[in-house]
Amino acid sequence: MSSQVLKMVWRRDVGLVARGLLLMTAVAAVTTGLLFAHQARALLAVHFTRIPVTAGDAASIWLHNLRSELGVAVFAVVDPVSSRLLDGDSRVWRRLLVGFGDVVMTCWAVGSSLIAGVLLGAYGMRKLAAFLPDGPVEVTAWALLLALYINARRGHDEWRQTVWGLVSVEVLLALAAILEAWGSGL
């Protein structure tokens, strides 16, 4: 594949993943807001109090996000590595391993989107303000990470592109952690 085609596929995949996650979040928010906002608030019991923040808090947020990214990175390399290491007789194991990664990734992405939507539906503008300014940066990082995973699974990316993509995700997540710690408008 030419680099122009890869760039087009890359942009399309990132956009498609981001739109899908945002649509899922919006549907969950509207559904929660219209049907069971009070019950969701009682169950979630979110407190919007501003607490003093330290550099350790920002580092803790970043390290939590790093663990999530590491899990995605591991699943992204399972398919190419397993296809080289496992012989033809082990194809069933390879499919099971890769399928497990797909299920975990899908559950993580859908679950995160639904939780964000329920929180927005239950708390409205107050929660939206709490998601700013770090939320859009973090959503962009996660959409990029999922697109990296999809492209790695399809065999579209070279390892250098995947590494630079993971570095980009890490920079975005570090920025999001800083914004979450010190930039929140609570």
Side-chain angles (χ1 to χ4, degrees):
M1 253 191 201
S2 74
S3 65
Q4 286 291 59
V5 172
L6 281 176
K7 286 178 187 175
M8 275 184 9
V9 168
W10 178 253
R11 277 189 226 116
R12 185 195 69 210
D13 285 349
V14 171
L16 185 63
V17 168
R19 284 191 301 272
L21 292 176
L22 289 174
L23 178 63
M24 193 177 312
T25 301
V27 168
V30 170
T31 303
T32 301
L34 292 175
L35 300 179
F36 53 92
H38 178 70
Q39 293 89 340
R41 282 191 297 275
L43 179 67
L44 297 169
V46 174
H47 302 285
F48 293 98
T49 56
R50 186 75 172 138
I51 55 174
V53 179
T54 66
D57 295 327
S60 176
I61 294 167
W62 177 69
L63 288 173
H64 169 74
N65 289 339
L66 179 63
R67 282 193 307 268
S68 300
E69 181 188 6
L70 183 60
V72 175
V74 166
F75 282 129
V77 298
V78 162
D79 187 38
V81 169
S82 66
S83 67
R84 290 188 182 111
L85 295 179
L86 297 175
D87 60 9
D89 295 334
S90 301
R91 287 194 175 259
V92 171
W93 287 109
R94 180 175 165 250
R95 277 193 226 128
L96 285 172
L97 189 61
V98 171
F100 176 74
D102 289 349
V103 168
V104 169
M105 290 299 303
T106 301
C107 289
W108 169 74
V110 168
S112 296
S113 295
L114 291 176
I115 289 169
V118 169
L119 285 166
L120 286 171
Y123 293 100
M125 294 306 292
R126 183 75 172 128
K127 188 61 189 173
L128 183 60
F131 278 151
L132 297 175
D134 60 295
V137 177
E138 202 167 313
V139 168
T140 302
W142 295 129
L144 177 59
L145 190 59
L146 286 170
L148 276 169
Y149 176 77
I150 291 167
N151 281 339
R153 284 279 286 113
R154 291 179 180 164
H156 290 174
D157 287 348
E158 295 180 11
W159 69 270
R160 285 187 191 128
Q161 186 178 7
T162 301
V163 168
W164 279 112
L166 290 171
V167 168
S168 299
V169 168
E170 198 48 50
V171 168
L172 286 169
L173 290 177
L175 175 61
I178 291 167
L179 291 170
E180 187 173 344
W182 287 292
S184 180
L186 283 179

